[in-house]
Amino acid sequence: MLQVDIETLGEFRVSVDHEFPKSITAVFGPSGSGKSTMLRAIAGMEPTRGLICFDEDDWLNTELDVLVKPHHRPIGYVRQNAQLFPHLTVHDNLAYPVKYSKRYPGEITLDQVVEDFELSLLLPRRTHQVSGGETQRIILARMLLSQPKLLLLDEPLTGLDIQRKAEILPYLESLQTKYHIPTLYVSHAVDEITALCPHTVVLADGEMRASGRTADVLERRDLAELLGGSDTSSIINAKVLTHDRQYQLTTLEVEDRTWSVPMHLPLQPGEITTLRVRARDVSLAKVEPKAISVRNILPGKIVAIEDIDTGPSVNCVIQSGLTRLQAQITRASLDQLDLRIGDPVFALVKSVTLD
Amino acid sequence: MNPEDISAIWITAQLALVTTLVLFVIGTPLAWWLATTKRWYKPSLEAFTALPLVLPPTVLGFYLLLLLSPNSTVGGFFFELTGVRLTFSFTGLVIASVIYSLPFMVQPLQVAIERVQEQCLQDAYALGVSKLTAVFTAVFPQCRRGFLTAAVLTFAHTVGEFGVVLMIGGNIPGETRVISIAIYEHVETISYADAHLLAIALLVFSFLVLLAVFTINRQLPLRAY
């Protein structure tokens, strides 16, 4: 649906040749990797050469001398630290694209976004009278009123604390579930990406290093440095069974075994959720450990052993049924336990992150 | 107050008002251009715009006199076209004041526009709004403090002008004699009482205008400039 092959003329060169799928794609990478520049180029706000094609329409085609002006591209672009117009009230901010946008009218109405983003009480306020999280909701709603066909979100949650983030995430999810608008989502927060984005592309130094299903991309060892140093993680699907209020634990089902994780009440029993397990939080044992405080143990076998640079550790990939889990252990342990590819092992998980 | 002084006040007010309106029309696009251009000659134009701030009014007045006199190309052409002399006339005063007060209109506007235009325009484009619409519905409204400051400073500065007016306009009662010239005249003829009256009026007026600007700037519910 979106095809991008561009070089920007500014200080950065971003060369990405990729057909983005029709859902939320995370654009991930270290700062300075060209994520924002790419988004700005797609939005038409960065001098660029090359090809940008959306749903068969060329927005940029240097060879054919095609350049569509930014306000004629059906995008919803939220830049970093985006702001509302300070001279207008919340209502008038929302009404701004309704009144002046070349793309209005369309299917999305003011009443609809006010309801979906729960803004009715905020409408008469001035922009300095709403909180950071509320501002973000208004910005998303205003963006939708310009009837975009493609959303470009540049770190929309940066600068918000964890609680505010948790408040906004459902609204971001609704962009996909209710409005079905394909989205590029720039972030360097793994938890946001795993929660929101089924697909991920990784940018570094202005080039695309990887793309694919988020779970697959985040597990790749060769990207560990780009993805945040030794914080390599595995993504595991789990089914919620029960909440144990006495011990403050939530019980989950992972591959026929039950896991306990710190209680997270928003999860409903029966719901499928994803867990993120950092490789360094996983230990290995050759025999099933008894009488041990670790509660989450997964049997499997070693399918790969990968070096981590020249450091003291190695990374073992454990396959357990359909689940893949990575464990970071020292070379010394690897040799003492005489672990080899194909050996059956038990993975001991010390902590998990719920998304 | 004698009728001649009242007419001086009236002429001053007219001059300041017309000058402000003309500069509003000329200064806004100029300020926009200076705020947004990336051309190499921008600093030269900025320096040129700021010249009246540093030049003695006599220098400006001298060159304007040469330029506008009916014996010169420009002044002569205008005289043949309209029959109006540009020197020692109200029209000439307006032209001189526009040039003299130019930086007072352009600089506050340029600062205000520079502060908001880039992000503001991009936000508007992203909402599907064209440049012209965005300028008038988003950028200018966010610059309203800048517009207010620029207009008031231009008006007040024109009211307080002396040197250029004297060189270009002279001292013709009812035509070019403004308050500052009238005060000078009263002092020369040692009628200190009349000088006091006008001087105090100008002092109080200037203070009230500036007070109004600072008060309004405080109360405008705007975080942007």
Side-chain angles (χ1 to χ4, degrees), chain A residues 40 45 70-71 75 77 79 83 85-87 96-97 100-103 126-128 142-143 146, chain B residues 119-120 122-131 133-134 137-138 141-142 144 221-224:
Chain A
R40 293 171 47 74
M45 297 179 189
H71 66 275
I75 45 144
Y77 171 57
R79 62 182 162 87
Q83 281 172 357
F85 292 132
H87 64 293
Y96 188 83
Y100 301 116
S101 177
K102 300 270 185 213
R103 309 194 286 257
R126 301 206 67 95
T127 54
H128 62 269
R142 183 179 69 172
M143 169 188 79
S146 74
Chain B
Q119 305 246 284
C120 188
Q122 289 188 356
D123 285 351
Y125 293 160
L127 293 171
V129 177
S130 70
K131 181 168 179 177
T133 310
T137 59
Q142 286 184 46
R144 57 188 178 190
L222 258 189
R223 280 177 302 173

